[in-house]
Each structure stands twice: as structure tokens, then as C-alpha cells.
Amino acid sequence: MEYNLGFVIFCVTLSIFSFFCSGFVVLAHFKIPQLLKHPGNLIVVLCITQMFFDMHWLTTFPTILNNIKNDDICADLGFINGIWIFSTWNLVTSLSLELIIKIKFPLNTAYSFRMKIYFIATIVFTLLENLIIYWVGEFGISNLDTCAIKVNSSGEYIYGIIIFGNLPIMWISIIMVLRSSAAKNNKALKSLTLVIFSMTITWGMPTFSPLVGKFFGGYNDSFDYFSMFCGCSSGIFISLSRLATPQMVSKIREVFCKRVSEKRVNKNDDPKKEIMNQLSLNSFFESVTEDTIRDILFGLSLICLTKNCTKVHFSYAYKKQKYTFKNNDFIKLKQYIDLNLNQQDELGIWEYEPETFKNIRKSCKINLKDIIQSVCTQQNFLSTQNFNTGGRSNAFIFCTHNESIIIKTITREEKYLLLDILPAYSKRVIKHPESKIVRILGLYKIRTSKHCFIVMENVLRKKNKAVIFDLKGSLDNRYVKNTGDIYGKVFKDQNFFEMAKDIEIESGTRSEIVNALIDDSMFFKKLNIIDYSLLVGFYEEKELLEIRYYTDGIGECSYCIGVIDFLQEYTIGKKLELLFKRIKGKVNTSVCSPSKYSGRFIEFLKKIFL
């Protein structure tokens, strides 16, 4: 096809501008550290691949460079260009998936793990998609007169399937953002959404319009002109979506111009406003996590203060109560925290089996006032040091400022398992105060985020003074690399033996603790539960902690000992995991039947207590 020369020059100019716009976004991310916060690194790689995609317009336009119309040369160039085309599209899909995950699971902060998955998946799918088209020999002169996917070939339909296969993921992420309460005042989130939206338009529509013309007739040159315009300008739209916010413009002016006007300086004199400006650059992922944990703290505090539920629900297996709090209810928290509570949205929270957990709290001599004093404090709302993820499950763990209570998210399966074993569990911990099983004080669910979480006693106090071990009695994948300071860090079974640790307790106390732990293990065996851990904190001095998990050792040392993470049932999935590990030749795995797990756990106890 022969394009209008003026239009060709216009598109080439757009491509050059798009290239430099994407390059400027990459440079801005490295110049402004806040932008590199997750998922900023994903945006950087996306813009780099977009720059290579822009080069495809600048280097393979046969209308200008007629000498590359040779089929073999153009096919090779098309294969190279296909790498950047598919990788860019897959990276946008990864960004969409990350938004979906974060909105649906705001307390999941396993960012680094997911980033590895995204990059590995992008490489694998890009190579696979490219090789499929190369294998069928469909690289060459495209319908837009570039070296890419050959015009009127099966490769075009394969490309269309790939594009349209990913579009639903992108649109779902956009819809979820629009419906999310977190998006109301979050400019960073809107910026990320605009990046995805611009890609669906600049890439999706050019793919869609020619196919419509081919299938339903009426195809004309305007489809190609429209496709070229969108493709050449895609980097511009991405850049504008990413950078075109007042806070971003202000920061770019400050960084790149090396000066700030007097008026701007005066505006930023307020530390709180400066913090909010920085947060608005790219901290949606941090702010949505903070908003969710804030709702949890608010909900727990208001349940203890109001004590009046709005609805009681009975099922065949359990009872739950619904609490709904409006703006006026938040005023009651003024005596505890100094935050802006007048603009809070309505908050709904479910409390499961309130009477049973009330009895557990009573046996622990914990009342609602104690929970308020632990949960509803200024330090909890202002501190970010408590934000953490726990173990391979990526559960979100929050420790209150006074270290007395742990708030931990649980999965839907763990919630129903806890409800199933709750009668037996409550009977065990109430009638046997010597039991070392951690006391769960409540089970709740936030209505908006659908997060289930438990409130439980903290086994460890003064964590930064303790050498901590999470022990299962297995050596399979039970090692944590020691990178320096050992205090406050959680080690595992192999580390325990490597450090030559033993629990040295006076014989009478030792017998009581070991017998209680054996009984706890037998209790879990009857309930078909595995994968529980013995959490041990070693202190070099006597800390004199007044909690059930603390005991003095021989000499100056002391210990905190408790059984945690017992919400794993021996299901078919666990049996398949065990079978898979045995096929791989692993004998002493952490996964095994409840009977074997209990036996191994008890033998391990006898070895480590002296």
C-alpha cells in the first residue's frame, strides 16, 4: 500500500516523539526514587520495551527504506520486532494482574515474588508467541508496510487471539479500579489505570478494526491509517498517563530544573502535605495496605466500644454478628487517637462465634478494655514498622505497639477449618491453661475487602532481644540464610542444629512443658491437623515476662515457647504434595500424615529439651 507522504512523515515524527517520551519516563523513574516503588519497576521495563517497539516504526518502514523489502531480511527483522511487540503487551497484562491482585488482596505484600513471576512469564510467553508465528513462517511485510507479522496470513489471526485474549484481564482491572473505594483520591492508582487504558485503545483498536473489516466486509485504507496513528503514538499516551499529574509535574520540575519557585517552597513547608505529595506519586500499593489495616484497627476498636451488632446470622455450623459503623461512631475514638476521623466512610465488619471467643478471652483474663488499649493507639496508626508478611503463605501479620496482640490474615480455607475445630480448640485451651497452643481471641472479616483475620496473643515479647526459631522437626527446606544480626530474625530447624541450641530448663518445669506440648501434638493429631510449628524465643537474660509462654531457663537465659500455625488440615492436596516430594526422593519432608507428623514432632521435642 502507498501511504500519503505527509502522513508517513507525520507518523515517523510521532514515533520519534514517542521514543523520547518513553525514554523520559524511564529517566524520571531513576531520578525520582518514589517512582521506583512497586510497581514502578514494571513500568520502567514496559517503557523500555515500548522504546524498542517505537524503533520498529523508525527502522522498518519500507515506504522510506525500500531496500528491506527482501522477504528473508524482513522476516528476520519481523521476528526481532515481534519480541518487543509481545513483551510490551505481556508486561501491560502483568500490570493489570498486579492491580487486580492488590485490590482484591490489599494485605498481600509479596511484591518481589510476584515481580519474578511476571518477568519470567513475560519472557516465556513472548518467546512462545514469537516462535509460534515464526514456525508457521508468518513474519514479513505487515498490512502497515513494516517488518512484523505478514499481511493476510494466519499469523495475523494468531496475533489477534493473543491481543484479545489479554484484553479482558486489562478491562477487568480497569473496572475493579473504578469500583474500588481506594481509587477515589489516589492519583497514583488513576495514573496506572490510564496506562492500561491507553494501551487497550492504542493497541487493541488497531487490531480490532482491520479484523472487523475482513470478517464483515467494508475494509478500506482508513483502518490502516488509524492503526498507524495509534501504534506510532502509543508511547506518548503511556508517558502522559504516567506523568501528567500535578504532583508529578511539580516533582519533575524540581528534579530536572534544579530549582523550585518561592511559591512552591512555601506550599511544601507543611511536612504532612509534602508527605502526601510524595505518597501520591506511586504509593497506591502502600496506601491501600495501610487503609486496610487501618480499617481492621478501627473495626476492632469500635466493636469493643459499641458492643452493639446490627445483624446476627446463623448458619448450620456457626454464628456471626455484623457491625456497621458510620461517621458518628468514629468520634468515639477521639479519646484514643489523634487522627482525622470525621471523613471516614461507613465500615462493616463481621465477628464469628462471638460467645466462644468471649469465653476464650475470659479464660485468658483479657477483656475488651485490654484489646482497645492494645489496638487503638496512636503508635499503631502511625507506625509502618509492623507491616510484614509471614512465611511462604504470605499472610499479613500486624503486631500491636505494646506487643501483646497479633493480627493475622487467614485464607478462606483456614477460616472454615478454625470454625470446624473451634469447639474442640476452645475446650482444650480453656480447660488446660498449661497448653502452649497460642490463644486465638477472635475471628473477623472486613466487609469491603473481604479479608478474614484472627486476633491472637503474641507468643514473643521483646522480639529484638530474642533469637527466634520456627521448628517443625523436619530438615526439608528448613534453613534461613544468616546475613548478620541474629536477634529478631526467625530461623528454622537446620539453623537450630547449626547454632547448637538447646532448651535448658529446670527438670520439673521441663517435664510440665514437654508433657503439655506432647498433649497439644496429640490433640492436633485427632483433629487431622499438620504443619504446626513450635515457636521458641531464646533470651540471654531473664526478661521476667508475665505471659503464659514465658519460662526461666537454667542460669541467666530464658525462653518464650508456643505452638503456632495450626490451621492446616491433611487434605488431598497435602497428600499429593507428599507424593510429589517422595517421587523427587525427599524422605524427611515437612508434609506427612497427622500420625507421622505428631510422632516426629514429639521425638524432636525430646531431643531439644535438656
Side-chain angles (χ1 to χ4, degrees), residues 286 289-290 293 380 383-389 396-398:
E286 290 82 359
T289 301
E290 187 174 352
I293 194 65
N380 286 338
S383 174
T384 58
Q385 296 178 354
N386 293 323
F387 285 33
N388 196 8
T389 53
F396 188 87
I397 300 172
F398 185 93

Side-chain angles (χ1 to χ4, degrees), residues 332-439:
K332 299 174 184 178
L333 301 178
K334 284 284 189 181
Q335 56 183 312
Y336 299 98
I337 51 176
D338 182 22
L339 294 175
N340 182 16
L341 301 173
N342 297 321
Q343 298 179 351
Q344 298 299 321
D345 296 327
E346 180 181 294
L347 176 64
I349 186 169
W350 287 99
E351 180 181 15
Y352 291 84
E353 292 293 346
E355 293 301 321
T356 303
F357 285 110
K358 179 180 178 181
N359 292 333
I360 294 176
R361 293 194 297 267
K362 185 177 179 180
S363 70
C364 298
K365 298 181 181 179
I366 295 175
N367 53 40
L368 297 181
K369 184 178 179 181
D370 296 325
I371 294 178
I372 293 177
Q373 290 177 346
S374 296
V375 172
C376 193
T377 68
Q378 192 78 11
Q379 294 92 333
N380 286 338
F381 285 94
L382 298 179
S383 174
T384 58
Q385 296 178 354
N386 293 323
F387 285 33
N388 196 8
T389 53
R392 288 178 293 179
S393 64
N394 294 320
F396 188 87
I397 300 172
F398 185 93
C399 179
T400 58
H401 191 265
N402 65 358
E403 297 186 315
S404 64
I405 285 178
I406 294 286
I407 298 170
K408 179 182 178 182
T409 57
I410 60 174
T411 64
R412 184 173 182 271
E413 293 74 17
E414 290 172 332
K415 179 188 79 172
Y416 285 116
L417 175 59
L418 176 57
L419 289 170
D420 287 341
I421 69 170
L422 188 57
Y425 168 77
S426 61
K427 182 178 178 180
R428 169 71 185 166
V429 297
I430 292 174
K431 289 192 174 183
H432 299 276
E434 75 282 359
S435 171
K436 293 297 181 180
I437 300 174
V438 65
R439 268 51 170 183

